[in-house]
Every structure is written in C-alpha cells, then in structure tokens.
Amino acid sequence: MDSNVKELATEVLPYIRVYKDGSVDRLVDSPIVPPCNEDPETGVSSKDIVVSKSPPISARIYLPKHVEQSPKVPLLVYFHGGGFCFESAFSFVETKYMNRLAKQANVVVISIEYRLAPEHPLPIGYEDCWSGLQWVASHSIDGGLKDEPWLSTYVDFDRLYVGGDSAGANLAHVILLRAGSEGLNGVKIKGAFLTHPYFWGSKPIGSEIKNNEEREKLATCMIWHLVYPEAPGGIDNPMLNPVVAGRPSLAGLGCSRLLISVAKEDLLRDRGVSYYHAVKKSGWKGELMELVDVEGADHAFHILAHESETAMKLIQKLASFIV
C-alpha cells in the first residue's frame, strides 16, 4: 500500500471527506475572494474585520454606496450555509450574494465567519455566531465597543435583522431562541429570514423518504452526525428538529418579524413549511410572519444559480423584508 495515501475515516459525498489523520477535503467550496473597495456590479464596499482573537472569529462587512450618517440604515447579521462544515463568509458565491442583498435592501450587512466542523464540532459554530452577534450589538451601547466604525456610524440598531441560508438558517433559528431567552445587551432583533432552513428529524414528514435505512444514508442525516457527533438526542436534537417533543417553545423566538422561504424541489422543503406552521401555532407574538414557496427551484438556488431570474426575485423579496 502506498504510504502517501491517506486512510479515509468518513465521507459525505459530494460535500466532504475526512481522513483518519484529521485532515479534511472540502469538495464543493466556492473560491475565496478578497473584499472590495467598490464592487463593480453593485457599488457596495466591503472589508474583513476581526470580531474576536480568542476564540478566532472574523467577518466580512458590507456598506452600500451613498449611505450617510443620517438617516441611519438597518443592519443584517448573516450566517452562511454549508452544512456547518464547508463554505465561508469570504467565498465568491457568498460575497456575490451579500453585495446584491446589501445594495437592494440598502442595509449594512455583516457576515460572520464561524469555525467549521468537523475540526470544530458543534456546538462551537452556534457559540461563535452568538458571540459575533453580541459583539455587533455591543456597538449600540453608550460607552460600549466602537471597534467597527461602519457599525457605530451608519447602523440603526432598532432595525437589527439576522438571517441565513440552509445551515445558516438553522444557526439563525438557534440564535433567535437564545436572544429571546437571554436578551442581547438591551438590543432587540426586529426581524429574521430563514431561507431553505436545514432542519431534519427521525420521523419522516410530507414527501420525505420513509425507509429508515435509506434515511440514514441521506446527507441530511450523515452531515449532522459528522458535525455534531455528541448531539443529545442525535438527529432529533431540538437544534436540528425544532418541532420534536420537548423542544424549547417556538413562542420564545426573539424577533417581531419572520420570513421563511422554501423551494419546491428542495429535500428540506417540508421541514421549512412544518417550522412555519409550528411557529404560527406556538403563540409567538410577532407582528409579521410570511412563508415564501418558490416553484421549480432547488436548495440554495439564489446563491448557486445567482444569475437566474428566480434568484433575483428571491433576493429582492428578502431585501424588501428588511425595513
């Protein structure tokens, strides 16, 4: 046997391979790109910032053209997708998406670069995103942090939003529950969007595959076991299955506006729809809740097929939600 050939520990194709020496091959990552003083398509400026040195958390922040100190604009704190184990806030597709969203919504956006599993298994990613949001919110307090001038100069913290796609939408959900129970330095999250949220569970719903053996082989199951091997309850941990018996009440979601978007061809669609109805039935006291169901589209189409007309329409819908 060739001594240079690494021994495979596990793989979830087509996404990731993990080797016994601890190394990882991420097979579908979009290329990393630098920030830009002025994006040629949108005019949006971006830069990379350090949120925390210990633990190491960074972010890419976006500022639309012609934003002034008065009137101040909303802020979106965004969590990227990628199954908790691939993709980056600094990737080409994420940067393209954030530039367009920042321009169309005319908001400051900060995309958190949280640490990835399996090198940093969950709940580390959840903790990184919560720490990132706390750091952002601290810029709103008199005498608080002023580390990032784009936050302290241009942002109206009464219009703070969080959002994410796929695993990032899962992160946003967990963040909303935590903000609802613990508070956020006196700042209230006005709204949130969860796009194609990565939720799952052991019991099939809707059009999902019913055979348990086949379900265990789905990426939705295998990814979770890879990224959170010690998860209490396994695939029915409330972080992944927010409608399972004994989960925290969805009435505790800490925002007043909520937009759930799903795609008709997405394996995760029924979970997003189920979540929407569960929140409606929970007694959540928000002022607005909306479900967007896009025909003929698949998971994360607005990022992966970003030039399509369908993608443009969804981005515009998300932008118009942030007020």
Side-chain angles (χ1 to χ4, degrees), residues 193-249:
F193 66 76
L194 277 59
T195 309
H196 311 162
Y198 175 26
F199 296 136
W200 201 247
S202 60
K203 294 182 179 178
I205 64 171
S207 61
E208 291 175 2
I209 292 171
K210 305 296 190 288
N211 182 282
N212 284 336
E213 209 169 295
E214 290 181 34
R215 287 177 68 80
E216 281 296 318
K217 295 176 183 176
L218 292 172
T220 47
C221 287
M222 295 179 69
I223 287 279
W224 183 252
H225 293 313
L226 173 68
V227 300
Y228 200 173
E230 304 299 322
I235 208 78
D236 283 319
N237 183 283
M239 289 175 166
L240 185 64
N241 186 353
V243 300
V244 72
R247 85 279 184 180
S249 172

Side-chain angles (χ1 to χ4, degrees), residues 162-182:
V162 300
D165 300 84
S166 192
N170 177 296
L171 286 159
H173 156 73
V174 172
I175 290 293
L176 289 171
L177 283 176
R178 191 161 179 179
S181 64
E182 297 181 21

Side-chain angles (χ1 to χ4, degrees), residues 5-27 83-86 116-121 222-223 225-229:
V5 175
K6 295 189 289 187
E7 288 190 74
L8 187 68
T10 188
E11 62 183 1
V12 183
L13 296 178
Y15 305 107
I16 191 168
R17 287 194 181 101
V18 183
Y19 298 94
K20 290 184 178 179
D21 65 2
S23 61
V24 176
D25 284 341
R26 293 179 166 88
L27 307 175
F84 306 101
C85 60
F86 59 94
L116 298 178
E119 300 95 326
H120 305 284
M222 295 179 69
I223 287 279
H225 293 313
L226 173 68
V227 300
Y228 200 173

Side-chain angles (χ1 to χ4, degrees), residues 30-36 46 48 60 62 88-96 99:
S30 172
I32 300 299
V33 296
C36 185
S46 59
D48 295 342
R60 181 162 289 178
Y62 299 82
S88 167
F90 308 136
S91 77
F92 170 78
V93 293
E94 295 292 344
T95 299
K96 190 87 168 174
N99 277 325

Side-chain angles (χ1 to χ4, degrees), residues 22-266:
S23 61
V24 176
D25 284 341
R26 293 179 166 88
L27 307 175
V28 291
D29 274 353
S30 172
I32 300 299
V33 296
C36 185
N37 286 333
E38 185 173 320
D39 177 58
E41 178 191 343
T42 62
V44 171
S45 301
S46 59
K47 62 181 177 179
D48 295 342
I49 58 176
V50 174
V51 171
S52 167
K53 291 182 179 178
S54 182
I57 306 169
S58 53
R60 181 162 289 178
I61 188 168
Y62 299 82
L63 181 69
K65 204 170 185 178
H66 307 309
V67 167
E68 304 289 346
Q69 293 186 35
S70 179
K72 294 189 175 186
V73 298
L75 170 67
L76 170 64
V77 180
Y78 174 80
F79 311 113
H80 71 80
F84 306 101
C85 60
F86 59 94
E87 263 305 326
S88 167
F90 308 136
S91 77
F92 170 78
V93 293
E94 295 292 344
T95 299
K96 190 87 168 174
Y97 176 36
M98 292 295 98
N99 277 325
R100 288 179 172 176
L101 193 53
K103 179 190 177 183
Q104 292 192 36
N106 198 43
V107 299
V108 174
V109 179
I110 182 166
S111 181
I112 304 296
E113 178 76 341
Y114 54 90
R115 288 172 289 172
L116 298 178
E119 300 95 326
H120 305 284
L122 294 177
I124 288 173
Y126 291 116
E127 293 299 326
D128 284 357
C129 290
W130 178 247
S131 295
L133 182 60
Q134 287 183 307
W135 178 85
V136 167
S138 68
H139 286 74
S140 71
I141 303 168
D142 288 338
L145 275 181
K146 301 297 177 190
D147 289 0
E148 177 42 58
W150 287 5
L151 293 176
S152 53
T153 303
Y154 300 111
V155 166
D156 175 2
F157 280 94
D158 289 332
R159 293 187 286 167
L160 169 63
Y161 286 73
V162 300
D165 300 84
S166 192
N170 177 296
L171 286 159
H173 156 73
V174 172
I175 290 293
L176 289 171
L177 283 176
R178 191 161 179 179
S181 64
E182 297 181 21
L184 187 63
N185 300 327
V187 178
K188 294 189 181 298
I189 299 172
K190 183 172 183 179
F193 66 76
L194 277 59
T195 309
H196 311 162
Y198 175 26
F199 296 136
W200 201 247
S202 60
K203 294 182 179 178
I205 64 171
S207 61
E208 291 175 2
I209 292 171
K210 305 296 190 288
N211 182 282
N212 284 336
E213 209 169 295
E214 290 181 34
R215 287 177 68 80
E216 281 296 318
K217 295 176 183 176
L218 292 172
T220 47
C221 287
M222 295 179 69
I223 287 279
W224 183 252
H225 293 313
L226 173 68
V227 300
Y228 200 173
E230 304 299 322
I235 208 78
D236 283 319
N237 183 283
M239 289 175 166
L240 185 64
N241 186 353
V243 300
V244 72
R247 85 279 184 180
S249 172
L250 297 176
L253 291 170
C255 66
S256 59
R257 294 164 54 83
L258 189 59
L259 175 65
I260 313 298
S261 53
V262 297
K264 271 288 197 293
E265 306 305 317
D266 185 5

